[in-house]
Amino acid sequence: MKNDWWKQSVVYQIYPKSFLDSNHDGIGDLKGIIQKLDYIKLLGVDVIWLCPVYESPQVDNGYDISDYYQISKLYGSMDDMDTLIKESKARGIKIMVDLVVNHTSDQHPWFIESRKSKDNPYRDYYIWSDQPNDLTSNFGGSAWSYDEKTKQYYLHFYSEQQPDLNWENPDMRRAIYKMMNFWIEKGIGGFRMDVIDLIGKEPDKKIKENGPKLHDYLKEMNEYTFGPANLITVGETWGATPEIGHLYTDAGRKELNMVFQFEHMNLDKQPGKHRWDLKKLDLIDLKDVLSKWQDSFSEDGWNSLFWNNHDLPRIVSRWGNDREYRELSAKMLATLLHGMKGTPFIYQGEELGMTNTNFESIDDYPDIETQNMYKDRLATGFSKEEIMQSIHMKARDNARTPMQWNSSENAGFSTIQPWMKVNTNYRKVNVEQSLVDPDSVFFHYQKLIALRKEKDILIKGRYELVDHDNTQVYAYKRIMDDQELLIVCNFYETPADLHYSEGTKEEDIGILISNYPDSPRALDHLLLRPYEAVVYEFNKR
Ligand code: NOJ
C-alpha cells in the first residue's frame, strides 16, 4: 500500500447514534452499521470515520469518554466493533475512529481519582487552579468549575462534565499513546482527532488554541503511535490558518496527514460575534477562502474537503436550496467540492441531500450546546422567534436527525420512537427512493467518487480559479501536464453567464459529469441554468 493512500481516498462519516437502530431501543448501533456496509460500499468510499462509540455518560453524545477501552452498551459490544472492522476490511473499507483526548468525561476513573485529593497520583492529569481567570467554555459560561472536595477549580473548554486533560503531564501522554496503540492493534485504519488544536493550551496565559507545545506533542504522538503504521490522520482545528495548516500537515514534519479547517464554514457568521449571529452568504467570500486553501497546499501538505459533519447544519440548506432545487443544488455543491484537490469527506445523509430541520419546539433539539445557548439568549433578551431562527439555520442537531432509510414510520431508522425526531421530509428524501432513481443525488456522489479513481488529475492536478469577480458562478480549473478540467457551478436559481474563451472546439470538449442531461459545450459564452454544475474535460489532439 502506498504511503499516501489517503490522498486517493474518500471518507464517509457515521454518527452512530443516528445511523441505524438494529435492537429497537431508538438509538443507532454498531450492528446497524454492519447491516449497511454494502450500502456504504455501493457509494464507493474507502474509509469510514466513526464518531465515538466508547463508554460514556453521553452528556455530549459520546465526546465525553469514561472508558477508552470499552464500547458503550448503547452501541453494542467489543465483539461488534471487531466484526465491524473485519467486515469493513472485507469490503476494502478502513475504520477511522474518533480520538477525543483534549478532555475526558468527569466519570473517567482518572478524573474520579484526580478530584479526590491534591496529592492523588492522577491530580496532575487534569488542570486545577486556585484562581479561575476569564477563559470561557465553548458550551457557554466559564471554563472553570469549582470542586468542593479539594476547594480548587478545574478547567473544561466544553461542559462541566468534560474536564480538560493536562498534556504537560508525560504520564498522561503515555497513557493516551498506549490506548491509541490498543486500537491500532485492533486493526483500525486511522484517527480523527477531536479539537486537537487545544491540547497545547496554557490556561494561565489564556492560551487556548495553538499553544507553544502543540506540535511537539503531535510529533511525539506520531512517533509512538500511528507514524509507523501508515494510517489516515485528520485533526480538527477550528483556529487554523493555511500557515498553521502546514505545521500540521507538511510531510517532513511527521505530524498529521490533514486537518479540518473551518474558515469556509464561518462565512455566515458576523465577525467577532458568536456563530448564532447570522450573516448573509457571499459567493466571492467562498471563492476567496477555498482558493486560498487550495493554493496554499499545492505543493506540500494536504487539504481535507468537506461541507458537513455532525457539528454543522446541512449544506443544502445553507449554500443550496432545500426546496424546489434541493437535488440540483445538492449535486452542484458535491461537484464543486469533489472537483477540488484534497481528501473528500461525506457526512451520512449528505449523499441523499438531507436538509436542516424546522421543529417548532426547543425540546426537539437535545444538543447540550443548543440547550445552553437557548437559556443564555432568553436571559439576555433575545426573543424565542429569533433564537429558533438561528437554531433552524445553525444548530448541530440539524445534522443529527436519524438517517432516512425509507418512507415507513421513523424513516426505517428504528421500530420505536428514535432518540431524536426524524426530519419531516423523510417520505420524500430517503435511501430507498434514491436507489431506484438513477438521477438521484446518491448516484451523483457515486459517480464523483468513481471519477476520482479514474482520473489522476483529480488527485494531483493544480487548482486555478477562473473569473473571480463573477458573483454567481464558481468556476475553476484543474491542470496536470497537458491535461485540463474545467469545473463550473451556478450557485443560484437564476440563470448565469460565464465567459470563458480558450478557443477550444466544441467537439474537443468532453463532459465528465453534470447535473443536467444536456449541458452546453459552447464555452465561449456559457449560459448556466439554476444550480447547473458541469465538469468539462479538454481533449488535446
Ligand atoms: C468537537 C466535536 O466534533 C463535537 O461534537 C464535540 O462537542 C466537541 N468537539 C467536544 O468534544
Side-chain angles (χ1 to χ4, degrees):
M1 174 149 302
K2 280 172 59 184
N3 275 344
D4 58 359
W5 59 271
W6 37 270
K7 288 189 178 171
Q8 275 101 45
S9 298
V10 178
V11 184
Y12 186 80
Q13 183 193 351
I14 293 185
Y15 197 64
K17 205 166 188 172
S18 300
F19 195 63
L20 181 66
D21 171 19
S22 76
N23 64 345
H24 320 295
D25 61 356
I27 294 175
D29 44 53
L30 290 173
K31 283 204 170 83
I33 300 173
I34 296 165
Q35 279 177 29
K36 292 295 179 186
L37 282 175
D38 286 333
Y39 167 74
I40 297 166
K41 177 75 191 158
L42 184 67
L43 194 56
V45 301
D46 315 272
V47 178
I48 290 173
W49 155 19
L50 184 68
C51 285
V53 287
Y54 317 97
E55 198 62 77
S56 157
Q58 300 286 323
V59 171
D60 186 18
N61 285 343
Y63 284 92
D64 48 320
I65 298 173
S66 52
D67 189 342
Y68 291 107
Y69 292 90
Q70 298 293 328
I71 300 295
S72 161
K73 286 189 189 55
L74 285 179
Y75 298 125
S77 63
M78 193 56 92
D79 281 349
D80 295 336
M81 186 68 182
D82 289 334
T83 309
L84 176 65
I85 295 172
K86 192 170 125 238
E87 288 297 318
S88 305
K89 197 167 172 208
R91 289 165 178 80
I93 297 173
K94 295 174 194 292
I95 300 290
M96 174 170 84
V97 294
D98 223 306
L99 181 77
V100 188
V101 292
N102 172 64
H103 47 267
T104 65
S105 157
D106 63 347
Q107 299 307 308
H108 192 290
W110 295 342
F111 191 69
I112 294 176
E113 284 300 313
S114 184
R115 75 195 318 181
K116 277 186 183 163
S117 66
K118 285 186 178 166
D119 55 8
N120 187 286
Y122 290 92
R123 183 68 171 182
D124 197 36
Y125 269 42
Y126 296 86
I127 297 168
W128 294 92
S129 170
D130 289 326
Q131 199 55 54
N133 57 19
D134 58 3
L135 281 174
T136 54
S137 153
N138 292 337
F139 286 165
S142 169
W144 298 96
S145 281
Y146 188 63
D147 200 47
E148 200 45 62
K149 180 94 200 292
T150 54
K151 306 208 176 334
Q152 276 194 317
Y153 295 81
Y154 65 89
L155 180 80
H156 55 88
F157 283 141
Y158 290 88
S159 76
E160 246 182 271
Q161 294 93 335
Q162 291 166 293
D164 270 53
L165 285 165
N166 176 15
W167 274 75
E168 300 258 351
N169 181 329
D171 294 339
M172 192 288 294
R173 298 207 301 276
R174 259 195 297 277
I176 294 289
Y177 304 153
K178 184 168 159 224
M179 174 275 286
M180 291 173 73
N181 285 325
F182 166 83
W183 285 102
I184 293 174
E185 276 153 34
K186 275 218 164 279
I188 56 108
F191 294 104
R192 173 269 183 185
M193 303 186 180
D194 191 65
V195 289
I196 204 67
D197 55 347
L198 301 185
I199 65 171
K201 66 205 128 197
E202 294 203 351
D204 13 327
K205 295 190 189 130
K206 298 196 192 167
I207 298 177
K208 215 166 162 176
E209 293 104 3
N210 303 312
K213 294 202 198 118
L214 166 63
H215 296 281
D216 293 341
Y217 296 148
L218 287 175
K219 285 198 176 80
E220 184 183 81
M221 181 193 277
N222 178 312
E223 184 183 341
Y224 289 112
T225 65
F226 54 83
N230 196 13
L231 303 187
I232 179 171
T233 51
V234 193
E236 187 197 22
T237 61
W238 282 83
T241 58
E243 294 70 35
I244 294 174
H246 276 290
L247 298 179
Y248 290 108
T249 71
D250 283 0
R253 292 177 53 87
K254 298 211 163 78
E255 295 189 21
L256 306 179
N257 299 150
M258 62 195 111
V259 293
F260 294 131
Q261 64 80 21
F262 293 87
E263 233 186 306
H264 61 305
M265 285 295 136
N266 282 331
L267 294 175
D268 52 3
K269 163 179 173 276
Q270 294 176 37
K273 291 228 184 155
H274 204 271
R275 73 185 181 86
W276 304 101
D277 300 306
L278 307 173
K279 170 177 165 285
K280 207 168 166 284
L281 290 166
D282 179 341
L283 184 61
I284 302 287
D285 290 345
L286 183 69
K287 291 185 190 186
D288 288 342
V289 167
L290 291 180
S291 301
K292 178 173 77 181
W293 282 85
Q294 287 286 301
D295 292 341
S296 308
F297 290 79
S298 57
E299 300 295 329
D300 209 356
W302 190 249
N303 272 311
S304 69
L305 305 168
F306 70 97
W307 282 129
N308 291 281
N309 68 31
H310 63 291
D311 295 330
L312 301 169
R314 295 280 181 183
I315 199 64
V316 72
S317 301
R318 213 166 168 191
W319 275 104
N321 174 323
D322 61 9
R323 299 165 308 275
E324 62 274 41
Y325 294 110
R326 185 184 62 82
E327 289 178 274
L328 277 172
S329 64
K331 291 177 190 173
M332 181 279 285
L333 291 162
T335 310
L336 183 96
L337 200 77
H338 286 245
M340 290 189 177
K341 187 170 181 177
T343 298
F345 286 71
I346 300 166
Y347 176 68
Q348 67 185 45
E350 179 183 336
E351 77 280 15
L352 309 175
M354 274 178 67
T355 67
N356 278 359
T357 55
N358 53 6
F359 306 139
E360 275 166 30
S361 165
I362 179 65
D363 300 338
D364 292 325
Y365 293 93
D367 178 21
I368 181 172
E369 186 201 27
T370 302
Q371 289 286 333
N372 288 353
M373 177 283 282
Y374 187 83
K375 285 181 214 120
D376 287 355
R377 292 214 155 186
L378 268 189
T380 51
F382 285 85
S383 71
K384 278 191 183 165
E385 292 66 36
E386 277 172 302
I387 306 176
M388 289 313 289
Q389 198 205 350
S390 318
I391 290 177
H392 293 155
M393 301 285 285
K394 292 298 269 297
R396 309 197 294 181
D397 279 335
N398 285 303
R400 298 177 181 184
T401 57
M403 180 74 175
Q404 294 163 204
W405 293 103
N406 56 44
S407 57
S408 70
E409 215 185 340
N410 306 320
F413 164 77
S414 175
T415 50
I416 68 161
Q417 175 72 43
W419 73 278
M420 189 186 169
K421 246 183 160 174
V422 174
N423 192 313
T424 47
N425 62 15
Y426 72 92
R427 291 209 164 77
K428 205 167 106 206
V429 184
N430 62 60
V431 171
E432 196 173 84
Q433 182 278 332
S434 297
L435 295 185
V436 293
D437 174 8
D439 235 10
S440 65
V441 179
F442 178 92
F443 287 115
H444 194 83
Y445 270 88
Q446 187 194 53
K447 193 163 177 193
L448 285 168
I449 296 168
L451 275 174
R452 262 191 178 251
K453 314 276 171 208
E454 283 161 32
K455 303 272 173 194
D456 219 22
I457 184 171
L458 282 169
I459 313 291
K460 297 188 187 138
R462 181 165 58 80
Y463 166 97
E464 194 180 293
L465 185 67
V466 173
D467 199 3
H468 171 268
D469 297 339
N470 192 321
T471 53
Q472 216 181 305
V473 179
Y474 192 146
Y476 62 91
K477 295 200 261 189
R478 296 293 302 278
I479 304 162
M480 187 174 80
D481 305 325
D482 63 345
Q483 299 169 45
E484 209 171 287
L485 303 179
L486 173 70
I487 293 99
V488 296
C489 295
N490 180 4
F491 263 70
Y492 295 90
E493 60 185 74
T494 43
D497 286 321
L498 179 79
H499 296 282
Y500 180 88
S501 43
E502 282 226 324
T504 317
K505 293 205 188 85
E506 279 187 43
E507 59 267 29
D508 290 335
I509 300 170
I511 290 183
L512 292 184
I513 188 166
S514 163
N515 57 356
Y516 280 78
D518 51 352
S519 287
R521 280 165 215 259
L523 295 188
D524 49 345
H525 188 176
L526 204 53
L527 191 64
L528 295 167
R529 288 161 285 184
Y531 297 101
E532 186 156 13
V534 195
V535 179
Y536 293 103
E537 181 179 43
F538 300 102
N539 305 317
K540 304 270 171 184
R541 298 188 193 218

